[in-house]
């Protein structure tokens, strides 16, 4: 199967987890990646700059109505929900939209919003990954990805900086794969090439 997008959600400890994953992806990695990392609403460009230093893929903040390109890593801007939309599920390439709607699970950007809209836009052609974090954001979204036939991956709680978020997803029964952090990138390379 050809995946259209990988969506990653993380919170507490997420910078280090994202660095590990990006370091393991080759510069020819073919699938776009969209990331929600919980951060302060006044955050600057530091997250993008730090992540860029760990990968040959292009890392950028997503822009409203931006077409999603293969092999790029898109970050949800601080204080905006990141949504994935598609004009027509069969033909068109999905694109981003940004929203300042109310926080979901106390977060904006919300992992659930990204995951649920990815599931709606891409159905079974999405991979959802839930990493370290200290709340329940992402669990409902991962459930929707799984329900639509997409692939759901959860970081093994023992390898997580904060195990609450991955443990919640496992307890909720929405993980197709539970992998140690160090194995996630190689698994993605295997299933996406």
């Amino acid at each position: 199967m050809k995946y259209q997008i990988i969506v990653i959600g993380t919170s507490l400890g997420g910078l280090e987890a994202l660095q590990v994953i990006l370091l393991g992806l080759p510069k020819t990695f073919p699938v776009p990646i969209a990331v929600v990392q919980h951060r302060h609403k006044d955050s600057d460009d530091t997250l993008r700059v730090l992540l860029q230093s760990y990968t040959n893929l292009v890392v950028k903040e997503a822009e409203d109505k931006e077409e999603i390109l293969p092999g790029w890593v898109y970050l949800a801007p601080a204080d905006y929900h990141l949504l994935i939309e598609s004009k027509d599920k069969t033909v068109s390439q999905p694109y981003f939209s940004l929203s300042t709607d109310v926080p979901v699970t106390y977060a904006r950007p919300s992992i659930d919003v990204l995951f649920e809209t990815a599931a709606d836009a891409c159905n079974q052609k999405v991979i959802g990954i839930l990493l370290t974090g200290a709340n329940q954001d992402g669990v409902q979204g991962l459930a929707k990805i799984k329900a639509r036939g997409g692939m759901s991956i959860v970081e093994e709680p023992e390898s997580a900086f904060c195990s609450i978020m991955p443990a919640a997803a496992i307890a909720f029964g929405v993980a197709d794969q539970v992998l140690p952090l160090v194995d996630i990138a190689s698994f993605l390379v295997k299933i996406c090439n």
Side-chain angles (χ1 to χ4, degrees):
M1 171 179 318
K2 189 169 178 345
Y3 290 102
Q4 279 188 304
I5 194 154
I6 295 167
V7 288
I8 299 178
T10 186
S11 187
L12 185 62
L15 173 61
E16 294 78 9
L18 291 167
Q19 288 171 345
V20 170
I21 291 173
L22 292 178
L23 205 53
L25 298 177
K27 66 178 177 199
T28 56
F29 190 72
V31 183
I33 300 169
V35 177
V36 164
Q37 160 74 61
H38 291 161
R39 52 189 171 143
H40 190 272
K41 65 182 175 123
D42 297 324
S43 295
D44 59 12
D45 199 32
T46 306
L47 177 64
R48 186 198 65 76
V49 172
L50 286 170
L51 291 177
Q52 186 63 75
S53 67
Y54 283 84
T55 183
N56 288 315
L57 301 169
V58 178
V59 180
K60 74 179 297 284
E61 285 201 349
E63 296 175 40
D64 197 44
K65 305 301 179 231
E66 180 174 13
E67 189 178 329
I68 302 170
L69 300 173
W72 287 46
V73 179
Y74 299 92
L75 304 177
D79 208 28
Y80 285 90
H81 290 308
L82 180 60
L83 295 80
I84 295 174
E85 299 190 29
S86 179
K87 291 182 188 77
D88 171 357
K89 290 182 186 15
T90 55
V91 224
S92 76
Q93 185 67 13
Y95 62 93
F96 291 118
S97 64
L98 301 177
S99 156
T100 54
D101 287 348
V102 295
V104 175
T105 325
Y106 310 106
R108 187 175 65 212
S110 160
I111 299 167
D112 278 329
V113 169
L114 173 63
F115 283 13
E116 289 172 6
T117 58
D120 286 340
C122 304
N123 291 308
Q124 76 279 11
K125 294 180 178 178
V126 61
I127 299 170
I129 304 173
L130 199 57
L131 302 173
T132 176
N135 67 12
Q136 309 273 315
D137 190 18
V139 174
Q140 295 301 324
L142 209 54
K144 189 166 189 178
I145 288 172
K146 187 174 168 63
R148 291 285 172 91
M151 160 93 57
S152 60
I153 300 170
V154 175
E155 179 181 0
E156 196 173 76
E158 293 74 38
S159 78
F161 180 83
C162 182
S163 64
I164 295 169
M165 211 151 71
I170 293 165
F172 202 66
V174 297
D176 291 320
Q177 298 281 332
V178 178
L179 299 171
L181 179 62
V182 295
D183 294 344
I184 293 175
S186 58
F187 181 77
L188 292 175
V189 170
K190 191 172 77 182
I191 65 171
C192 292
N193 282 332

